[in-house]
């Protein structure tokens, strides 16, 4: 950012006082786009710091300068540092004969875990992979039938043992079954749980520790407000706490952000979650059919945020 | 927390008042209250409390606290009572609507259970033919609560099911028929049309808008869109056992012009309580006991 502005024939040195009103209005705009209040503030503070004392191009307004710096900051933030392509990793594991690639879906109640899992199954199938769905939500009414319906529609295998079972045990049986059958990928559904519910979070960590999946996906919804960051942070913390002392500690590797089709351009939840944790957004859900799974388009997202 | 910090200040003047309001505004934004509503509240409190005209000896901090508190309670007051359900004048039909995954099906069962425990003859109709496993979900909830239910695995038209179910239970003289519907959102026009058709078919006594307490700034637009298409008469806020403060509730009331009647506090059928505005405002502001504010 700095070098960009120095390169122009500037006349005006920006000061913190001059920047303040523009930063405040940008902050409010971000909050109304559903970026959490404190993260909107922190983003604006860092943009302000990067512009303080910088020479501004003579033809640009302070607002335009701030917006442009913010656009850069958001783009940098939202561009994943490592590849989020799971297909390559699945292929690698398959080539190495390492058994099924296991993905666990977790998150709070009703965010779209089971639906996203079914969409992922469809996506993997279209790439020639065989899939098994593991019905490890053994609690919520209708959860098993919901997954069975998806399995039937998609023509993939379902492993279920009904309700009331220990989810970790069901998952390991499902993985064993998939290994025997030579299935490429196991998608593990889990029951929704509130991030402050100690016993349920411990049970999730137990499932993860016992089955050592290749990926743990946290599912959140684009609709969520300030709670989103808290959810993701606490799911991660619970996984870390309950696996302390064991060998490889599995944390959340990716975020699936659902219901993007319901928020218009209030897409700030993506910013907040990535800013707070650095966990990349692997997929976004944009509707209720199997086709409605996308990867994130950083450019479009940033554009919506600044609109 | 903002309120607690203010209490250490004994003699606020105009600047202190403004600073206090800034802190409160911040707390409210962090509780997901709508950005514009927060600005409005600030203005309203500033004009309600005329600091300069207050004499010595008046507890000004308390006065401001009370002004904020009252203003929030006022925002939660739809200005009228919820649609009354009456026994003995034919069946009450209550239809549940809302965004995907916000807790409609679970709350329908809780609501029906609540009335059945009060001795009402209650039943459930599953008019969600879209979500995988929707009928099983309602069926299992209803069975556990020993509440009669109606639905279909084969009929694909939700309006037809709702019509048939309501007709049957009306004929059987039920006091309360609770109709569960699919999740929907304002961007999908066909889903809103289906909701209107359902309304004309079952002629509900009341339409309950169910909203998840974790919702952010999209709350107002979505709630307003539901209200613009059907006669929402009450609101239920779910998942308040979670960590979210639930500021979206203010938007739901403002946008639907309907009171909040109940809250959901867990996944189990009895985790359901009547809504109490004062307690809710205490939660919004991050305060425990707010009874001190209510009595002054
Ligand atoms: N509009 C929209 N709806 C979605 C999307 N993803 C999921 N849904 C809907 O959200 C609702 C809940 O989805 P589920 O997959 O059952 O959510 P879950 O997280 O598994 O829920 P629990 O298991 O009960 O915690 C369903 O009605 C889905 O159709 C999305 O991207 N867009
Ligand atoms: N913790 C908690 N979970 C709740 C509460 N109310 C509902 N849930 C959970 O939220 C999830 C979604 O609830 P549903 O009743 O399926 O939501 P819905 O609105 O019917 O969803 P769709 O029909 O897909 O639109 C389920 O896991 C419920 O168990 C609540 O008050 N607290
Ligand atoms: Mg599920
Ligand atoms: Mg439902």
């Amino acid at each position: 950012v700095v070098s960009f502005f120095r390169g122009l024939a500037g006349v005006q040195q920006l000061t913190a006082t001059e920047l303040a009103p523009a930063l405040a209005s940008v902050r409010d705009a971000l909050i109304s786009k559903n970026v959490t209040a404190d993260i909107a503030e922190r983003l604006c503070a860092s943009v302000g710091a990067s512009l303080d004392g910088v020479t501004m191009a003579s033809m640009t307004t302070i607002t335009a300068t701030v917006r442009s710096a913010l656009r850069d900051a958001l783009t940098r933030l939202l561009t994943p540092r490592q590849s989020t392509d799971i297909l390559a990793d699945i292929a690698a594991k398959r080539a190495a004969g390492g058994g099924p690639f296991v993905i666990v879906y977790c998150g709070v109640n009703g965010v779209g875990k089971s639906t996203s899992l079914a969409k992922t199954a469809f996506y993997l199938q279209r790439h020639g992979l065989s899939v098994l769905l593991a019905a490890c939500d053994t609690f919520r009414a209708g959860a098993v039938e919901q997954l069975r319906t998806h399995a039937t529609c998609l023509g993939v295998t379902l492993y279920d043992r009904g309700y009331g079972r220990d989810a970790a045990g069901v998952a390991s049986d499902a993985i064993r079954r998939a290994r025997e059958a030579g299935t490429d990928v196991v998608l593990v559904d889990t029951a929704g749980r509130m991030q402050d519910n100690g016993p349920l979070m411990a049970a999730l960590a137990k499932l993860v520790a016992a089955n050592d999946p290749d990926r743990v996906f946290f599912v959140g919804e684009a609709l969520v407000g300030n709670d989103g960051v808290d959810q993701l942070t606490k799911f991660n913390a619970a996984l870390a706490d309950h696996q302390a002392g064991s060998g490889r500690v599995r944390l959340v590797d990716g975020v699936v952000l659902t219901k993007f089709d319901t928020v218009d351009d209030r897409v700030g939840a993506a910013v907040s979650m990535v800013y707070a944790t650095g966990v990349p957004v692997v997929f976004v859900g944009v509707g209720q059919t199997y086709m409605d799974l996308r990867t994130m388009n950083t450019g479009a997202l940033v554009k919506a945020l600044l609109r | 927390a903002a309120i607690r910090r203010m209490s250490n200040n004994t003699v606020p003047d105009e600047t202190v008042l403004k600073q206090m309001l800034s802190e409160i505004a911040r707390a409210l934004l962090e509780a997901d209250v709508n950005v514009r509503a927060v600005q409005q509240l600030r203005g309203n409190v500033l004009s309600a409390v005329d600091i300069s005209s207050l004499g010595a000896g008046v507890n000004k901090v308390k006065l401001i606290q009370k002004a904020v508190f009252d203003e929030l309670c006022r925002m939660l007051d739809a200005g009228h009572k919820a649609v009354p359900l009456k026994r003995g004048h034919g069946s009450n039909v209550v239809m549940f609507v809302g965004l995907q995954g916000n807790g409609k099906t679970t709350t329908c069962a809780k609501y029906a259970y609540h009335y059945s425990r009060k001795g009402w003859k209650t039943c459930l109709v599953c008019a969600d033919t879209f979500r995988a496993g929707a009928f099983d979900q309602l069926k299992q909830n209803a069975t556990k609560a020993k509440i009669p239910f109606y639905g279909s695995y084969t009929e694909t038209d939700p309006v037809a099911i709702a019509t048939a179910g309501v007709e049957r239970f009306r004929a059987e003289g039920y006091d309360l028929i609770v109709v569960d519907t699919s999740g929907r959102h304002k961007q999908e026009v066909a889903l809103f049309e289906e909701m209107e058709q359902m309304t004309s078919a079952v002629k509900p006594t009341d339409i309950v808008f169910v909203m998840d307490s974790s919702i952010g700034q999209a709350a107002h637009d979505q709630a307003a869109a539901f209200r613009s298409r059907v006669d929402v008469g009450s609101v239920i806020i779910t998942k308040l056992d979670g960590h979210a403060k639930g500021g979206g509730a203010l938007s739901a009331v403002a946008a639907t012009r309907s009171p909040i009647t109940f809250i959901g506090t867990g996944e189990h059928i009895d985790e359901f309580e009547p809504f109490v505005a004062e307690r809710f405002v205490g939660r919004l502001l991050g305060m425990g006991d707010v009874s001190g504010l209510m009595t002054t």
Side-chain angles (χ1 to χ4, degrees):
Chain A
V1 179
V2 175
S3 57
F4 172 65
F5 289 111
R6 279 207 189 111
L8 297 166
V11 289
Q12 199 189 344
Q13 293 268 99
L14 288 171
T15 66
T17 341
E18 284 170 339
L19 284 166
L23 287 172
S25 98
V26 164
R27 181 203 58 207
D28 288 351
L30 285 176
I31 294 175
S32 77
K33 290 285 164 68
N34 204 33
V35 177
T36 61
D38 67 320
I39 286 172
E41 222 150 77
R42 280 194 270 163
L43 260 170
C44 289
S46 67
V47 165
S50 77
L51 290 175
D52 196 0
V54 164
T55 307
M56 192 173 72
S58 52
M59 298 305 287
T60 47
T61 62
I62 292 182
T63 310
T65 307
V66 165
R67 284 170 61 88
S68 148
L70 182 66
R71 177 177 306 118
D72 292 347
L74 287 170
T75 306
R76 232 177 303 126
L77 173 70
L78 292 167
T79 307
R81 262 151 286 166
Q82 69 274 53
S83 160
T84 54
D85 175 21
I86 55 170
L87 292 174
D89 292 334
I90 294 171
K93 189 164 186 186
R94 184 156 81 152
F101 192 90
V102 180
I103 308 177
V104 171
Y105 288 75
C106 63
V108 303
N109 304 89
V111 288
K113 293 175 294 299
S114 309
T115 305
S116 300
L117 175 145
K119 289 175 182 176
T120 315
F122 177 74
Y123 167 76
L124 296 173
Q125 262 190 320
R126 288 217 302 190
H127 286 83
L129 297 162
S130 56
V131 180
L132 180 142
L133 308 184
C136 300
D137 179 351
T138 62
F139 172 73
R140 204 210 72 218
V144 174
E145 289 80 4
Q146 181 180 12
L147 228 56
R148 184 175 299 138
T149 305
H150 286 308
T152 308
C153 288
L154 293 166
V156 302
T157 317
L158 174 79
Y159 183 85
D160 90 272
R161 302 223 342 250
Y163 293 94
R165 301 301 180 115
D166 170 48
V170 179
S172 61
D173 289 349
I175 295 167
R176 191 177 317 118
R177 177 71 59 87
R179 179 171 286 124
E180 286 161 9
T183 307
D184 298 319
V185 185
V186 177
L187 302 177
V188 180
D189 192 24
T190 65
R193 64 201 78 218
M194 290 295 165
Q195 69 269 29
D196 286 326
N197 188 321
L200 294 182
M201 293 304 290
L204 175 69
K206 180 186 156 199
L207 183 151
V208 169
N211 292 288
D212 192 25
D214 297 276
R215 288 283 189 286
V216 177
F217 284 170
F218 171 84
V219 184
E221 52 178 33
L223 283 163
V224 74
N226 283 260
D227 197 44
V229 169
D230 192 74
Q231 292 171 9
L232 178 49
T233 313
K234 285 186 180 147
F235 267 73
N236 236 340
L239 288 178
D241 283 357
H242 292 286
Q243 292 175 82
S246 63
R248 191 157 83 112
V249 177
R250 300 306 329 248
L251 300 178
V252 171
D253 314 280
V255 172
V256 179
L257 215 45
T258 62
K259 309 187 190 176
F260 254 94
D261 52 320
T262 70
V263 296
D264 296 328
D265 58 3
R266 299 189 200 273
V267 294
V271 176
S272 307
M273 290 197 201
V274 175
Y275 187 100
T277 62
V279 180
V281 176
V282 179
F283 290 121
V284 295
V286 295
Q288 302 191 83
T289 77
Y290 294 128
M291 262 98 73
D292 295 321
L293 188 70
R294 303 282 148 83
T295 53
M296 197 164 75
N297 179 344
T298 304
L301 199 81
V302 171
K303 209 162 154 195
L305 285 164
L306 291 168
R307 188 144 51 216
Chain B
I3 293 261
R4 229 173 285 122
R5 237 170 291 142
M6 309 186 324
S7 314
N8 304 333
N9 256 318
T10 39
V11 234
D13 53 17
E14 206 77 31
T15 30
V16 178
L17 169 65
K18 287 215 167 107
Q19 190 197 326
M20 275 168 45
L21 281 178
S22 287
E23 283 186 32
I24 289 168
R26 204 200 148 97
L28 293 175
L29 286 175
E30 286 175 357
D32 298 315
V33 178
N34 182 271
V35 180
R36 254 177 299 153
V38 172
Q39 282 160 359
Q40 227 165 50
L41 174 127
R42 225 167 152 151
N44 289 355
V45 170
L46 269 172
S47 59
V49 185
D50 183 8
I51 289 281
S52 55
S53 72
L54 294 173
V58 181
N59 188 333
K60 292 168 189 166
V61 165
K62 203 150 190 194
L63 210 74
I64 294 158
Q65 288 176 346
K66 187 162 161 40
V68 170
F69 190 84
D70 289 348
E71 185 63 19
L72 286 167
C73 288
R74 198 190 56 73
M75 290 163 80
L76 281 167
D77 183 356
H80 57 88
K81 288 233 164 27
V83 183
L85 303 184
K86 292 187 200 112
R87 262 178 106 177
H89 301 272
S91 303
N92 294 280
V93 178
V94 178
M95 180 172 131
F96 279 58
V97 300
L99 291 165
Q100 291 90 350
N102 279 24
K104 291 174 296 300
T105 306
T106 310
T107 308
C108 276
K110 289 175 174 180
Y111 186 90
Y113 182 68
H114 171 86
Y115 280 98
S116 84
R117 297 230 310 180
K118 294 206 314 190
W120 292 44
K121 202 176 159 198
T122 315
C123 59
L124 284 157
V125 175
C126 174
D128 178 358
T129 54
F130 179 80
R131 169 158 163 191
F135 183 34
D136 287 295
Q137 183 184 8
L138 180 130
K139 196 169 162 179
Q140 288 169 20
N141 280 332
T143 307
K144 213 180 290 172
K146 299 193 173 61
I147 292 168
F149 60 90
Y150 181 90
S152 166
Y153 286 112
T154 48
E155 173 61 64
T156 53
D157 177 9
V159 180
I161 297 186
T163 311
V166 168
E167 212 164 89
R168 162 171 335 163
F169 286 130
R170 260 195 220 279
E172 292 174 10
Y174 276 83
D175 297 318
L176 173 62
I177 307 171
V178 181
V179 182
D180 184 24
T181 66
S182 307
R184 63 195 83 235
H185 56 292
K186 74 181 176 77
Q187 290 83 355
E188 192 90 56
V189 177
L191 295 180
F192 267 44
E193 277 166 5
E194 177 194 284
M195 176 170 70
E196 283 177 329
Q197 287 163 15
M198 191 97 76
T199 309
S200 359
V202 306
K203 301 193 179 47
T205 321
D206 190 14
I207 298 178
V208 177
F209 178 67
V210 175
M211 184 181 259
D212 187 324
S213 59
S214 77
I215 192 168
Q217 295 291 328
H220 191 276
D221 292 353
Q222 289 290 358
F226 275 86
R227 179 63 180 80
S228 74
R229 301 297 288 268
V230 296
D231 236 331
V232 171
S234 38
V235 175
I236 295 180
I237 305 294
T238 61
K239 310 186 195 176
L240 276 164
D241 50 319
H243 171 270
K245 294 273 176 30
L250 294 172
S251 302
V253 172
T256 62
R257 302 185 293 282
S258 301
I260 303 172
T261 50
F262 292 97
I263 58 172
T265 57
E267 295 193 70
H268 297 281
I269 196 140
D270 56 350
E271 289 173 322
F272 189 63
E273 297 169 17
F275 176 74
V276 181
E278 290 77 11
R279 272 175 65 185
F280 190 83
V281 170
R283 178 189 175 103
L284 267 185
L285 291 166
M287 303 185 294
D289 183 17
V290 289
S291 50
L293 294 179
M294 284 138 60
T295 46
T296 27

